[in-house]
Amino acid sequence: MQNYTLSQIAKLLSAELQGDGALEIKKIATLANARTGHIAFLANSKYRPQLQTTQASAVIVSEADAPYFNGNKIIVANPYVSYAKLAQLIDTTPRSASTGIHVSAVIHPTAVISPSAAIGANAVVEAGAVIGDNAQIGPNSFIGERVKIGSGTKLWPSVTIYHDVEIGSDCLFQANSVVGSDGFGYANERGQWIKIPQLGSVIIGNKVEVGASTTIDRGALDDTIIHSNVIIDNQCQIAHNVEVNSGTAIAGCTVLAGSVTIGKNCQIGGMVAINGHMSVCDGVIITGMSMVTKSITEPGIYSSGMPHTTNKEWRKSIAHLRNLSDMKSRLKALEALTKS
């Protein structure tokens, strides 16, 4: 990893430096675990007391928190964003595939692969696929027929992209993610399931990130669409004909059933389930483990998951819940007596 001086870091972050600009930084660390040569950051004021005890050589802070640290500091508007930018600068994550096409890769003669793209060991690229400039296709990945992958997009190992899927530029797919598998479409004829071929595809915009072991199903007739600047965590299920609009973030283990539409700039917590054919408007936050059973038409924060409590209290609550109907009837009877 290349070392940077505080002056270089301040310049790269367009930030104010107070302290020794010649000081070299070797690593980013938390306030609690930082040592000499490390730079830390304070993004949450509840950790402000750690500014007095940290061993970091420098700290990234907001203007409001700057007076609480006497050492070398870089003052920014948003320390968390600045941390993210600095982490990108010193990131040592390797390529998912070395330059060129590995000798063990299987490439169909009609596939069109940019000379600057990289294809890893044992990857398969099928007929008519197009892979753009500087794309990286990790080992054991499968690129189906007529797939289009944009420039700068990176696939980690064992990613599967089914036929006719279109992926934009600068996307990132973590290991074992699957895009374009069949949606869950069946008709029932006297107890026998009749499979409905999924004739749509998946269209993914630019700068989309998809987590490990996440599945995005192809559409039944129309396409499943993931717009640009969407981030999807690990082990999520995106069903057929879902549309997720730009700026939305979806946390791990969330399930979007078929034909769900998610608006722009939404935040969906972990283990959320959204029933089929629902729509969620722009600017909605859904907290973890919520169950969405009707469309959301107003921006705001929505919850339905039950917070944890002691087992004893939970059992009491469930006992009361089971008796709600009886309690309601008794209350109505008492109200009737009062009125009479």
Side-chain angles (χ1 to χ4, degrees):
M1 185 193 82
Q2 178 183 348
N3 293 344
Y4 291 87
T5 66
L6 283 184
S7 292
Q8 290 173 319
I9 292 172
K11 183 177 180 181
L12 290 164
L13 297 177
S14 300
E16 177 187 349
L17 167 63
Q18 292 184 8
D20 181 5
L23 179 69
E24 283 199 345
I25 296 299
K26 302 175 182 178
K27 182 180 177 180
I28 307 174
T30 61
L31 287 167
N33 294 323
R35 297 293 180 263
T36 301
H38 296 175
I39 187 169
F41 67 96
L42 176 65
N44 189 327
S45 58
K46 75 177 183 179
Y47 296 110
R48 186 184 285 165
Q50 293 185 10
L51 291 174
Q52 305 302 315
T53 58
T54 185
Q55 299 299 305
S57 293
V59 173
I60 299 172
V61 291
S62 67
E63 188 173 353
D65 288 318
Y68 297 92
F69 185 68
N70 295 323
N72 301 303
K73 50 196 167 189
I74 292 177
I75 302 173
V76 298
N78 187 323
Y80 198 67
V81 170
S82 294
Y83 151 65
K85 291 179 178 179
L86 181 58
Q88 287 183 1
L89 180 68
I90 65 176
D91 184 19
T92 57
T93 302
R95 294 171 59 88
S96 62
S98 300
T99 56
I101 299 174
H102 194 276
V103 65
S104 65
V106 179
I107 312 296
H108 194 277
T110 62
V112 178
I113 300 174
S114 167
S116 61
I119 312 292
N122 300 313
V124 174
V125 181
E126 295 282 25
V130 178
I131 298 177
D133 296 342
N134 300 307
Q136 300 174 41
I137 309 301
N140 300 309
S141 291
F142 173 85
I143 309 300
E145 294 183 9
R146 300 174 298 278
V147 166
K148 296 179 180 178
I149 296 178
S151 62
T153 286
K154 180 177 182 178
L155 278 58
W156 280 103
S158 302
V159 172
T160 298
I161 311 294
Y162 281 62
H163 55 284
D164 295 315
V165 168
E166 296 185 16
I167 297 171
S169 62
D170 300 314
C171 295
L172 175 63
F173 293 81
Q174 299 290 348
N176 299 305
S177 53
V178 178
V179 181
S181 50
D182 279 355
F184 198 58
Y186 298 86
N188 192 286
E189 183 180 39
R190 296 187 296 276
Q192 296 299 311
W193 292 111
I194 310 299
K195 183 173 180 59
I196 301 172
Q198 302 294 281
L199 305 179
S201 187
V202 179
I203 309 298
I204 294 178
N206 303 322
K207 296 184 178 179
V208 170
E209 297 199 7
V210 176
S213 299
T214 280
T215 300
I216 303 175
D217 290 339
R218 69 193 313 107
L221 292 173
D222 297 326
D223 298 325
T224 301
I225 302 174
I226 310 296
H227 289 268
S228 297
N229 190 34
V230 167
I231 52 176
I232 303 172
D233 199 1
N234 301 335
Q235 298 179 328
C236 293
Q237 161 64 18
I238 311 297
H240 55 187
N241 299 109
V242 165
E243 181 173 5
V244 181
N245 280 280
S246 62
T248 286
I250 301 174
C253 299
T254 282
V255 175
L256 307 185
S259 299
V260 162
T261 299
I262 306 295
K264 297 178 181 178
N265 302 312
C266 293
Q267 298 177 39
I268 301 176
M271 299 185 73
V272 167
I274 301 181
N275 281 8
H277 303 275
M278 301 291 107
S279 62
V280 175
C281 69
D282 298 347
V284 166
I285 297 173
I286 303 174
T287 61
M289 297 192 71
S290 294
M291 179 75 180
V292 179
T293 58
K294 63 180 181 179
S295 293
I296 298 175
T297 58
E298 296 290 334
I301 302 175
Y302 294 82
S303 303
S304 70
M306 182 178 289
H308 86 280
T309 184
T310 64
N311 181 263
K312 183 177 181 181
E313 287 299 319
W314 181 80
R315 287 177 178 273
K316 285 182 180 179
S317 297
I318 291 300
H320 292 319
L321 185 64
R322 288 174 175 171
N323 292 322
L324 279 180
S325 295
D326 180 57
M327 291 179 182
K328 182 179 179 181
S329 298
R330 291 164 64 187
L331 181 60
K332 282 188 173 181
L334 287 172
E335 288 175 341
L337 286 173
T338 302
K339 290 177 181 178
S340 62

